Amino acid sequence: MKIIISPAKKMNVDTDGVASNSIPVYFEQAGVLRNYLRDLKFSELKSLLSCNDKIAKLNFNRLQNMDLVDGLTPALLAYEGIQYQYMAPHVFTDTQWDYVEENLRILSGFYGILKPLDGIVPYRLEMQAKLKSDFCKNLYNFWGDKLYKDLVHNDDFILNLASKEYSKTIEPYLDEKVTLISCTFGTMVNGKIKVKATEAKMARGEMVRYLAENNITEINKIKGFQSLNFQYSEEFSTDSELVFLKYVEK
């Protein structure tokens, strides 16, 4: 089984804890993107990243000094978003690290696909960024089917905990030999399912931790997730979607 998750925009450097033990499989492609971004003017980079001046300046300066081989942080510890806070990899046991290293993959606009202990540096580049150059028309085109092929090299089951922006790098290439099942975390309000972005991110992180704690690789055992008051809903789930709901009173 391979579990796919999205990256986070906010990143940090952590060279004092768990050490990285590998380089990203598409390290060379990340170098191509680094060089392209580094050559952009400040105004061009700000437009591409769709951010304010402060964030654009931070990333403009990062790119000017970006070294892809030094001062690396394990990917799973480099991201600081809500999903990663609730996953809490800083307190993983050795067994949990072994599980995520085998089963978990982070999809990235900059690095393509990452194992938890791949060494990376802070960057900002969303998959949906309108990066158009002489070598690609956008990042989906740049990565093509590479990420999918890497995922299914030795696996035929993908558990999708990624946002649509990132799962779009995988879904177009699915074939009949591979099963992709997505997880939806929603709240039942007056008979309707509403997905709240922050709660969904929290639940995705908790789900990864639950899977790692219990060494889960089977679909039926995934359904046992009950954190944050979410419970599996047989009624609303399908062969391609596991729905976890929590209920609020009218």
Side-chain angles (χ1 to χ4, degrees):
M1 179 175 77
K2 286 292 182 288
I3 308 157
I4 55 173
I5 61 174
S6 306
K9 293 178 183 178
K10 189 176 181 181
M11 300 185 69
N12 70 85
V13 175
D14 181 353
T15 57
D16 296 326
V18 177
S20 59
N21 67 8
S22 55
I23 62 171
V25 64
Y26 296 119
F27 173 83
E28 292 184 4
Q29 286 84 348
V32 170
L33 292 173
R34 186 270 313 270
N35 294 341
Y36 170 81
L37 295 170
R38 179 184 280 171
D39 289 340
L40 294 179
K41 297 177 182 177
F42 176 82
S43 59
E44 293 172 328
L45 182 67
K46 179 184 174 183
S47 177
L48 177 66
L49 300 183
S50 298
C51 62
N52 59 35
D53 283 347
K54 181 179 179 180
I55 293 173
K57 185 175 181 180
L58 169 65
N59 286 279
F60 185 83
N61 291 335
R62 275 177 174 170
L63 287 161
Q64 302 313 306
N65 303 291
M66 185 176 283
D67 184 342
L68 298 178
V69 298
D70 191 33
L72 305 180
T73 299
L76 203 60
L77 301 179
Y79 297 107
E80 288 191 338
I82 294 171
Q83 175 180 215
Y84 293 85
Q85 293 171 25
Y86 277 77
M87 191 187 311
H90 287 88
V91 295
F92 275 3
T93 64
D94 289 345
T95 300
Q96 288 170 296
W97 272 111
D98 289 342
Y99 175 90
V100 293
E101 184 71 0
E102 174 66 25
N103 297 288
L104 183 68
R105 296 294 180 267
I106 305 165
L107 304 180
S108 162
F110 186 73
Y111 282 104
I113 190 167
L114 294 164
K115 294 186 293 184
L117 290 174
D118 281 349
I120 66 172
V121 297
Y123 69 91
R124 189 182 178 99
L125 185 64
E126 296 179 67
M127 191 66 76
Q128 62 189 1
K130 296 179 180 179
L131 189 158
K132 188 174 183 179
S133 70
D134 57 357
F135 56 82
C136 69
K137 62 181 182 180
N138 55 45
L139 285 171
Y140 295 105
N141 171 249
F142 179 77
W143 291 113
D145 64 356
K146 293 184 181 69
L147 314 188
Y148 175 72
K149 287 183 175 179
D150 188 88
L151 276 176
V152 302
H153 179 64
N154 290 312
D155 285 279
D156 58 9
F157 172 36
I158 300 171
L159 182 65
N160 177 25
L161 295 176
S163 65
K164 191 66 177 177
E165 174 187 352
Y166 288 91
S167 63
K168 281 171 61 177
T169 63
I170 304 302
E171 292 168 335
Y173 306 104
L174 286 170
D175 59 44
E176 67 279 359
K177 297 178 182 178
V178 175
T179 299
L180 182 143
I181 295 180
S182 298
C183 288
T184 296
F185 302 95
T187 300
M188 182 64 75
V189 182
N190 296 329
K192 295 183 178 180
I193 298 174
K194 295 187 177 182
V195 176
K196 301 177 181 179
T198 298
E199 287 187 347
K201 291 176 181 177
M202 293 161 58
R204 289 168 181 161
E206 291 270 357
M207 174 63 88
V208 173
R209 184 154 55 85
Y210 166 75
L211 297 173
E213 285 176 346
N214 296 282
N215 193 32
I216 290 173
T217 58
E218 299 175 14
I219 296 174
N220 283 336
K221 292 185 179 180
I222 296 170
K223 298 174 183 179
F225 175 79
Q226 293 186 2
S227 188
L228 303 174
N229 294 320
F230 286 104
Q231 290 191 356
Y232 172 70
S233 171
E234 184 76 38
E235 178 183 359
F236 293 99
S237 296
T238 66
D239 289 343
S240 60
E241 182 183 23
L242 300 181
V243 176
F244 296 84
L245 297 178
K246 64 180 182 178
Y247 294 81
V248 297
E249 295 182 2
K250 296 182 180 180

